[in-house]
Amino acid sequence: MRIARALTAAALLLGAAASPAVADASPSASPSGDSAAPTSAGTSFRTAAEIEQGQQATASASTGDYLYWQFPADAGQRPTVKATVKLPSSSRSGTQTWQLDVYDGLRRRQACQYGAQTRTAAQGAASVDLACTLRTVRAWSETWADDPLPGTYYVRLTAVGLGTADLGLPVNAEVRVDSKDIGGSAAVDGSLGQPLVPGIARKSSDSASDAPTLSSLKPDTSGWWSDRWLWTAIGGVLAALAGIGGYALTRGSGRPSRVPPGV
Protein backbone atom coordinates (compact mmCIF):
# COMPACT_ATOMS: atom_id res chain seq x y z
CA MET A 1 0.00 0.00 0.00
CA ARG A 2 2.83 2.42 0.77
CA ILE A 3 4.35 1.79 -2.64
CA ALA A 4 0.99 2.39 -4.35
CA ARG A 5 0.52 5.67 -2.46
CA ALA A 6 4.04 6.76 -3.39
CA LEU A 7 3.45 5.98 -7.06
CA THR A 8 0.15 7.90 -7.06
CA ALA A 9 1.69 10.96 -5.39
CA ALA A 10 4.64 10.95 -7.79
CA ALA A 11 2.30 10.71 -10.79
CA LEU A 12 0.33 13.74 -9.55
CA LEU A 13 3.55 15.71 -9.09
CA LEU A 14 4.69 14.77 -12.59
CA GLY A 15 1.42 15.95 -14.09
CA ALA A 16 1.68 19.31 -12.32
CA ALA A 17 5.32 19.76 -13.37
CA ALA A 18 4.78 18.81 -16.99
CA SER A 19 1.78 21.09 -17.56
CA PRO A 20 3.89 24.19 -18.45
CA ALA A 21 5.98 22.14 -20.86
CA VAL A 22 2.89 20.72 -22.55
CA ALA A 23 1.53 24.22 -22.96
CA ASP A 24 4.68 25.17 -24.87
CA ALA A 25 3.82 22.65 -27.59
CA SER A 26 0.70 24.52 -28.68
CA PRO A 27 0.72 26.43 -31.97
CA SER A 28 1.99 30.00 -31.70
CA ALA A 29 -0.49 32.80 -31.64
CA SER A 30 -1.23 34.76 -34.78
CA PRO A 31 -0.21 38.42 -34.98
CA SER A 32 -2.64 41.08 -33.83
CA GLY A 33 -3.19 42.25 -37.37
CA ASP A 34 -1.78 45.77 -36.85
CA SER A 35 0.26 45.52 -40.05
CA ALA A 36 -1.30 44.63 -43.38
CA ALA A 37 -0.01 41.65 -45.29
CA PRO A 38 2.01 42.58 -48.41
CA THR A 39 0.38 42.28 -51.81
CA SER A 40 3.62 42.03 -53.78
CA ALA A 41 6.84 40.03 -53.57
CA GLY A 42 10.48 40.94 -53.99
CA THR A 43 12.65 39.76 -56.85
CA SER A 44 15.83 39.07 -54.80
CA PHE A 45 17.01 38.53 -51.24
CA ARG A 46 17.61 42.26 -50.78
CA THR A 47 14.11 43.24 -51.94
CA ALA A 48 12.20 40.38 -50.26
CA ALA A 49 8.79 41.46 -48.97
CA GLU A 50 8.47 41.36 -45.17
CA ILE A 51 5.68 39.25 -43.69
CA GLU A 52 4.81 38.24 -40.15
CA GLN A 53 3.91 34.75 -39.06
CA GLY A 54 0.18 34.19 -39.39
CA GLN A 55 -0.20 36.63 -42.30
CA GLN A 56 -1.16 35.54 -45.79
CA ALA A 57 0.82 37.45 -48.38
CA THR A 58 -0.25 37.67 -52.01
CA ALA A 59 1.53 38.63 -55.21
CA SER A 60 0.84 38.89 -58.91
CA ALA A 61 3.71 37.94 -61.18
CA SER A 62 4.68 36.37 -64.48
CA THR A 63 5.63 32.74 -64.93
CA GLY A 64 9.40 32.49 -64.72
CA ASP A 65 9.82 35.25 -62.11
CA TYR A 66 11.59 34.61 -58.80
CA LEU A 67 9.39 35.68 -55.88
CA TYR A 68 10.93 36.42 -52.47
CA TRP A 69 9.48 36.99 -48.99
CA GLN A 70 11.13 37.19 -45.56
CA PHE A 71 9.79 36.39 -42.08
CA PRO A 72 11.16 36.22 -38.50
CA ALA A 73 11.52 33.02 -36.49
CA ASP A 74 12.64 32.61 -32.87
CA ALA A 75 14.26 29.78 -30.95
CA GLY A 76 11.96 26.89 -30.15
CA GLN A 77 9.69 27.48 -33.15
CA ARG A 78 9.15 25.05 -36.01
CA PRO A 79 8.00 27.17 -38.98
CA THR A 80 5.83 25.79 -41.76
CA VAL A 81 5.73 27.70 -45.05
CA LYS A 82 2.79 27.10 -47.38
CA ALA A 83 2.38 28.50 -50.87
CA THR A 84 -0.40 28.31 -53.45
CA VAL A 85 0.18 29.29 -57.06
CA LYS A 86 -2.96 30.01 -59.10
CA LEU A 87 -2.22 29.21 -62.71
CA PRO A 88 -3.86 30.65 -65.84
CA SER A 89 -6.80 28.52 -66.93
CA SER A 90 -5.76 28.54 -70.57
CA SER A 91 -2.85 29.23 -72.90
CA ARG A 92 -0.53 26.78 -71.12
CA SER A 93 1.38 24.53 -73.46
CA GLY A 94 2.16 21.78 -70.95
CA THR A 95 2.94 20.93 -67.34
CA GLN A 96 4.66 23.30 -64.93
CA THR A 97 6.93 22.40 -62.00
CA TRP A 98 7.07 24.85 -59.09
CA GLN A 99 9.50 24.84 -56.18
CA LEU A 100 9.50 26.44 -52.72
CA ASP A 101 12.89 27.08 -51.06
CA VAL A 102 13.63 28.49 -47.60
CA TYR A 103 16.95 30.14 -46.63
CA ASP A 104 18.20 31.38 -43.27
CA GLY A 105 19.78 34.75 -42.47
CA LEU A 106 23.13 33.57 -43.83
CA ARG A 107 21.33 32.53 -47.04
CA ARG A 108 21.94 28.86 -46.42
CA ARG A 109 19.23 26.71 -47.93
CA GLN A 110 17.36 24.93 -45.15
CA ALA A 111 16.17 21.35 -45.47
CA CYS A 112 12.48 20.57 -45.08
CA GLN A 113 11.48 17.96 -42.52
CA TYR A 114 8.39 17.21 -44.54
CA GLY A 115 6.07 18.81 -47.05
CA ALA A 116 5.71 18.93 -50.83
CA GLN A 117 8.52 21.34 -51.63
CA THR A 118 8.38 20.68 -55.39
CA ARG A 119 5.23 19.81 -57.31
CA THR A 120 4.26 19.52 -60.96
CA ALA A 121 0.95 20.93 -62.14
CA ALA A 122 -0.81 19.22 -65.03
CA GLN A 123 -1.66 21.25 -68.11
CA GLY A 124 -5.26 21.78 -67.03
CA ALA A 125 -4.63 22.31 -63.29
CA ALA A 126 -5.96 25.56 -61.82
CA SER A 127 -3.44 25.76 -58.97
CA VAL A 128 -0.53 24.01 -57.28
CA ASP A 129 0.09 23.79 -53.51
CA LEU A 130 3.53 23.58 -51.91
CA ALA A 131 4.68 23.33 -48.28
CA CYS A 132 7.91 23.13 -46.29
CA THR A 133 8.18 22.44 -42.56
CA LEU A 134 11.62 23.40 -41.25
CA ARG A 135 13.55 21.87 -38.42
CA THR A 136 13.11 23.45 -34.99
CA VAL A 137 14.97 26.75 -34.66
CA ARG A 138 17.83 26.37 -32.15
CA ALA A 139 18.99 29.03 -29.71
CA TRP A 140 22.61 28.53 -30.86
CA SER A 141 24.68 26.12 -32.87
CA GLU A 142 28.23 25.04 -33.59
CA THR A 143 29.98 27.06 -36.28
CA TRP A 144 30.25 24.04 -38.59
CA ALA A 145 26.57 23.10 -38.38
CA ASP A 146 23.75 24.36 -40.58
CA ASP A 147 21.06 24.28 -37.87
CA PRO A 148 18.22 26.83 -38.13
CA LEU A 149 19.01 29.81 -35.89
CA PRO A 150 16.89 32.77 -34.66
CA GLY A 151 16.50 35.62 -37.12
CA THR A 152 15.20 36.29 -40.59
CA TYR A 153 14.25 33.56 -43.05
CA TYR A 154 13.76 33.97 -46.79
CA VAL A 155 11.17 32.23 -48.94
CA ARG A 156 11.77 31.82 -52.68
CA LEU A 157 9.05 30.63 -55.03
CA THR A 158 9.63 29.97 -58.71
CA ALA A 159 8.91 27.64 -61.62
CA VAL A 160 11.80 25.25 -62.28
CA GLY A 161 10.29 23.10 -65.02
CA LEU A 162 8.77 25.32 -67.67
CA GLY A 163 8.31 25.36 -71.41
CA THR A 164 9.51 28.39 -73.36
CA ALA A 165 5.98 29.09 -74.60
CA ASP A 166 4.74 29.46 -71.01
CA LEU A 167 7.23 32.15 -69.98
CA GLY A 168 5.52 35.41 -69.03
CA LEU A 169 2.05 33.98 -68.41
CA PRO A 170 0.34 35.72 -65.45
CA VAL A 171 0.11 33.87 -62.12
CA ASN A 172 -1.06 34.72 -58.61
CA ALA A 173 0.75 33.46 -55.53
CA GLU A 174 -0.27 33.18 -51.89
CA VAL A 175 2.24 32.53 -49.08
CA ARG A 176 1.63 31.95 -45.38
CA VAL A 177 3.98 31.08 -42.50
CA ASP A 178 2.88 29.51 -39.22
CA SER A 179 4.95 28.08 -36.39
CA LYS A 180 4.52 25.49 -33.70
CA ASP A 181 6.26 26.18 -30.38
CA ILE A 182 8.22 23.05 -29.53
CA GLY A 183 9.40 24.20 -26.09
CA GLY A 184 11.69 22.31 -23.75
CA SER A 185 12.30 19.29 -25.93
CA ALA A 186 14.40 21.51 -28.23
CA ALA A 187 15.93 23.79 -25.60
CA VAL A 188 19.70 24.29 -25.35
CA ASP A 189 21.84 26.05 -22.76
CA GLY A 190 22.85 29.26 -24.51
CA SER A 191 21.71 31.74 -27.13
CA LEU A 192 23.05 33.96 -29.89
CA GLY A 193 24.16 37.44 -29.01
CA GLN A 194 21.89 38.75 -31.79
CA PRO A 195 19.68 37.10 -34.43
CA LEU A 196 20.87 36.43 -37.96
CA VAL A 197 20.06 39.48 -40.11
CA PRO A 198 18.63 41.67 -37.32
CA GLY A 199 15.94 44.20 -38.10
CA ILE A 200 12.85 42.23 -39.03
CA ALA A 201 13.32 39.74 -36.18
CA ARG A 202 13.84 42.36 -33.46
CA LYS A 203 12.51 45.45 -35.23
CA SER A 204 15.85 47.19 -34.67
CA SER A 205 17.40 49.78 -36.95
CA ASP A 206 20.54 47.74 -37.62
CA SER A 207 21.33 47.08 -41.26
CA ALA A 208 21.58 43.59 -42.73
CA SER A 209 25.32 44.13 -43.18
CA ASP A 210 25.72 43.97 -39.37
CA ALA A 211 24.41 40.40 -39.24
CA PRO A 212 26.73 37.94 -37.47
CA THR A 213 28.71 35.46 -39.49
CA LEU A 214 29.34 31.80 -38.74
CA SER A 215 32.61 32.62 -36.96
CA SER A 216 30.77 34.84 -34.46
CA LEU A 217 28.10 32.31 -33.42
CA LYS A 218 29.01 31.59 -29.80
CA PRO A 219 26.74 30.49 -26.96
CA ASP A 220 25.64 33.02 -24.37
CA THR A 221 25.66 31.13 -21.06
CA SER A 222 24.43 34.04 -18.93
CA GLY A 223 21.00 32.45 -18.70
CA TRP A 224 21.57 28.97 -17.28
CA TRP A 225 17.92 27.99 -16.90
CA SER A 226 16.02 26.29 -19.70
CA ASP A 227 13.05 23.94 -20.03
CA ARG A 228 15.49 21.10 -20.48
CA TRP A 229 16.08 21.11 -16.71
CA LEU A 230 12.39 20.28 -16.22
CA TRP A 231 12.51 17.38 -18.67
CA THR A 232 15.70 16.09 -17.03
CA ALA A 233 13.99 16.14 -13.61
CA ILE A 234 10.95 14.35 -15.02
CA GLY A 235 13.20 11.69 -16.52
CA GLY A 236 14.92 11.19 -13.15
CA VAL A 237 11.60 10.79 -11.33
CA LEU A 238 10.37 8.31 -13.93
CA ALA A 239 13.57 6.28 -13.56
CA ALA A 240 13.11 6.21 -9.79
CA LEU A 241 9.49 5.11 -10.15
CA ALA A 242 10.54 2.36 -12.53
CA GLY A 243 13.08 1.13 -9.98
CA ILE A 244 10.48 1.14 -7.20
CA GLY A 245 7.96 -0.66 -9.36
CA GLY A 246 10.49 -3.29 -10.43
CA TYR A 247 11.51 -3.92 -6.84
CA ALA A 248 7.87 -4.26 -5.77
CA LEU A 249 7.20 -6.81 -8.52
CA THR A 250 10.29 -8.94 -7.99
CA ARG A 251 10.75 -9.07 -4.22
CA GLY A 252 7.82 -11.51 -3.72
CA SER A 253 6.35 -12.23 -0.32
CA GLY A 254 9.67 -12.64 1.43
CA ARG A 255 9.11 -16.36 2.11
CA PRO A 256 10.37 -19.41 0.22
CA SER A 257 7.81 -20.80 -2.22
CA ARG A 258 8.15 -24.31 -0.74
CA VAL A 259 8.85 -25.38 2.80
CA PRO A 260 11.12 -28.45 3.11
CA PRO A 261 9.43 -31.49 4.74
CA GLY A 262 9.91 -31.85 8.47
CA VAL A 263 10.46 -28.15 9.11
Side-chain angles (χ1 to χ4, degrees):
M1 292 296 293
R2 292 183 197 172
I3 294 176
R5 291 196 193 101
L7 290 174
T8 303
L12 292 175
L13 290 175
L14 279 175
S19 57
V22 173
D24 288 340
S26 59
S28 58
S30 299
S32 59
D34 295 336
S35 58
T39 57
S40 61
T43 56
S44 66
F45 286 103
R46 296 181 62 86
T47 61
E50 298 182 7
I51 61 174
E52 296 289 344
Q53 294 189 24
Q55 287 183 330
Q56 181 164 300
T58 58
S60 298
S62 299
T63 305
D65 290 345
Y66 284 85
L67 307 179
Y68 287 83
W69 294 267
Q70 56 178 310
F71 67 92
D74 203 357
Q77 293 183 337
R78 181 181 293 168
T80 296
V81 183
K82 295 183 178 180
T84 299
V85 182
K86 297 181 179 179
L87 306 171
S89 57
S90 60
S91 304
R92 297 210 313 269
S93 62
T95 61
Q96 292 185 4
T97 301
W98 287 79
Q99 182 167 309
L100 178 70
D101 296 307
V102 182
Y103 299 82
D104 67 2
L106 298 178
R107 300 183 185 178
R108 302 175 301 181
R109 186 174 180 271
Q110 292 294 311
C112 301
Q113 276 193 320
Y114 49 85
Q117 186 179 5
T118 302
R119 298 192 71 174
T120 299
Q123 184 174 357
S127 63
V128 58
D129 297 323
L130 304 104
C132 175
T133 297
L134 301 176
R135 295 169 294 167
T136 304
V137 178
R138 294 171 55 88
W140 73 280
S141 177
E142 299 289 348
T143 56
W144 48 262
D146 62 349
D147 298 318
L149 294 169
T152 300
Y153 284 78
Y154 296 91
V155 179
R156 185 178 72 183
L157 178 65
T158 188
V160 295
L162 193 65
T164 305
D166 292 334
L167 286 173
L169 293 178
V171 293
N172 293 311
E174 298 177 354
V175 171
R176 180 183 177 92
V177 181
D178 294 290
S179 283
K180 182 177 181 180
D181 291 327
I182 303 304
S185 59
V188 295
D189 297 328
S191 61
L192 294 181
Q194 57 180 330
L196 301 182
V197 187
I200 184 172
R202 288 191 176 176
K203 299 300 181 184
S204 68
S205 59
D206 298 335
S207 64
S209 61
D210 297 329
T213 61
L214 280 175
S215 61
S216 66
L217 303 184
K218 297 180 180 179
D220 177 11
T221 57
S222 58
W224 60 273
W225 170 259
S226 70
D227 291 347
R228 193 170 63 176
W229 287 95
L230 176 62
W231 292 101
T232 302
I234 291 175
V237 173
L238 289 175
L241 292 177
I244 294 173
Y247 173 74
L249 292 174
T250 58
R251 70 170 185 168
S253 61
R255 296 180 180 180
S257 58
R258 296 183 62 185
V259 178
V263 176

